[in-house]
Amino acid sequence: MKREDIEFTGEGGVTLRGWFYPATDTSGPAPVVVLAHGLSAVKEMYLDDYAEVFAQAGLNALVYDHQNFGDSGGTPRQEVDPVLQYRDFRNAITYATTRTEVDASKVGIWGTSFSGGHVLMVAAVDKRVKAVVSQVPAISGSGVLSRFIRPDFLPHTRAALDGDRLQRFTGGEPTMLPAVTPDPMAQAAMPSTEAYQWFSKTSAERAPNWKNEITARSLELLTEYEPGSWISRIAPTPLLMIVSADDVVAPFELALEAYEEAREPKQILLTRGGHFDAYAGDGFDECSAAARDHFVKHLRA
């Protein structure tokens, strides 16, 4: 499918880069869906497939890399700052609405995993958004990390973060951690065998520019981030939440609890499988179709 390489300005003047997929079978300005990826991931990791599904349904699609990752600018490289990423979602919306192909009154946002949390916050405060899909979302930074770090490891982790803060303060380079690891007992942002297998396979097949590292400070910033606390403010913007029943990377219990706090109009799709099953095979077909139908219903009707 035809797509255009794009760039626009994000927070702090950083250049963000991505792709624009024009809607098919349209005669004038069409709705747009803005998409971004999760923790440490880059746009080549199946976001192009989602964008194509939306474009074929008559929806423009805009995909980009978060700052500090992939093709986008920004330093320190590989640093996850959830507040900057959330604000850049809004910058991406602004850029999209300046394009002649886009009907600025019909904006949808789609986020998965870590960005599944971002879109909850964006939809709660940015009423340019008329429909939102949050897929296998990270609901609570502190909640996720408390499950990933064993209680007896916490003092060591805190000491390492304090050391990294002092190192930066005195002009040193950021301490780096693996994003994933084959050893679930080793220190990493996502110490799960499932995460390691998915990132290793997907980066080898589709995304050679992905790097298996994030800054240690990223973990500290994650603990400050609680996007689920905003979910009750999304209404009346229609929400679709897609939750995997066996998700342990972004724990499904947290997503189900958050969904109960959301107000109508809302809809939930509970799928079988783990966190990464939404990106390929039958899981992709089910999740992409549900998201497509949600956006078509609320943006094209």
Side-chain angles (χ1 to χ4, degrees):
M1 173 177 285
K2 177 184 176 182
R3 74 184 183 201
E4 175 189 344
D5 292 334
I6 59 168
E7 60 180 45
F8 58 95
T9 302
E11 288 298 297
V14 170
T15 299
L16 304 181
R17 297 183 177 89
W19 302 314
F20 184 84
Y21 290 76
T24 60
D25 298 325
T26 57
S27 58
V32 66
V33 178
V34 178
L35 306 88
H37 224 312
L39 189 70
S40 89
V42 293
K43 62 186 182 301
E44 289 83 1
M45 291 174 154
Y46 293 100
L47 292 199
D48 46 350
D49 290 356
Y50 273 92
E52 289 185 3
V53 169
F54 299 157
Q56 290 167 358
L59 305 160
N60 295 301
L62 189 155
V63 178
Y64 69 98
D65 283 327
H66 295 298
Q67 62 174 278
N68 307 336
F69 289 89
D71 293 329
S72 290
T75 56
R77 299 303 294 174
Q78 303 300 117
E79 180 148 293
V80 179
D81 187 325
V83 174
L84 290 181
Q85 292 185 0
Y86 146 79
R87 291 174 177 168
D88 278 337
F89 236 111
R90 303 185 71 185
N91 292 322
I93 292 171
T94 300
Y95 166 73
T97 61
T98 67
R99 296 187 61 103
T100 57
E101 306 97 325
V102 170
D103 181 343
S105 69
K106 297 179 179 179
V107 174
I109 54 175
W110 179 98
T112 187
S113 194
F114 198 51
S115 69
H118 298 341
V119 296
L120 299 177
M121 289 187 66
V122 174
V125 301
D126 195 327
K127 294 308 175 181
R128 294 176 298 177
V129 175
K130 305 304 180 187
V132 54
V133 174
S134 175
Q135 177 175 281
V136 293
I139 294 296
S140 166
S142 61
V144 170
L145 286 179
S146 68
R147 286 165 167 80
F148 280 167
I149 300 176
R150 282 174 36 180
D152 54 326
F153 285 7
L154 281 174
H156 173 73
T157 301
R158 292 194 182 102
L161 293 176
D162 291 344
D164 173 68
R165 182 175 285 275
L166 178 60
Q167 181 171 300
R168 288 181 182 234
F169 183 79
T170 55
E173 291 297 315
T175 302
M176 306 303 291
L177 296 173
V180 295
T181 173
D183 179 3
M185 300 299 292
Q187 191 171 45
M190 294 173 278
S192 105
T193 303
E194 178 190 4
Y196 177 79
Q197 292 173 344
W198 186 83
F199 275 100
S200 298
K201 181 175 185 290
T202 306
S203 61
E205 294 177 349
R206 303 175 64 109
N209 61 336
W210 176 77
K211 295 181 179 179
N212 185 18
E213 61 179 12
I214 65 169
T215 64
R217 181 171 181 256
S218 299
L219 292 183
E220 198 168 42
L221 295 174
L222 294 181
T223 64
E224 303 171 2
Y225 192 55
E226 302 294 329
S229 64
W230 293 79
I231 198 167
S232 65
R233 309 183 198 183
I234 293 175
T237 304
L239 165 68
L240 169 63
M241 185 179 286
I242 300 174
V243 179
S244 292
D246 302 308
D247 195 340
V248 296
V249 176
F252 71 90
E253 303 99 326
L254 298 180
L256 295 178
E257 290 171 4
Y259 182 76
E260 293 302 314
E261 298 296 320
R263 297 173 180 171
E264 299 288 350
K266 63 179 181 178
Q267 180 183 356
I268 189 167
L269 171 63
L270 189 62
T271 68
R272 306 307 306 177
H275 185 75
F276 299 97
D277 288 328
Y279 302 112
D282 293 341
F284 169 79
D285 292 340
E286 180 182 19
C287 295
S288 63
R292 176 201 64 206
D293 294 348
H294 182 76
F295 288 130
V296 167
K297 176 181 178 180
H298 295 292
L299 300 180
R300 291 199 65 190

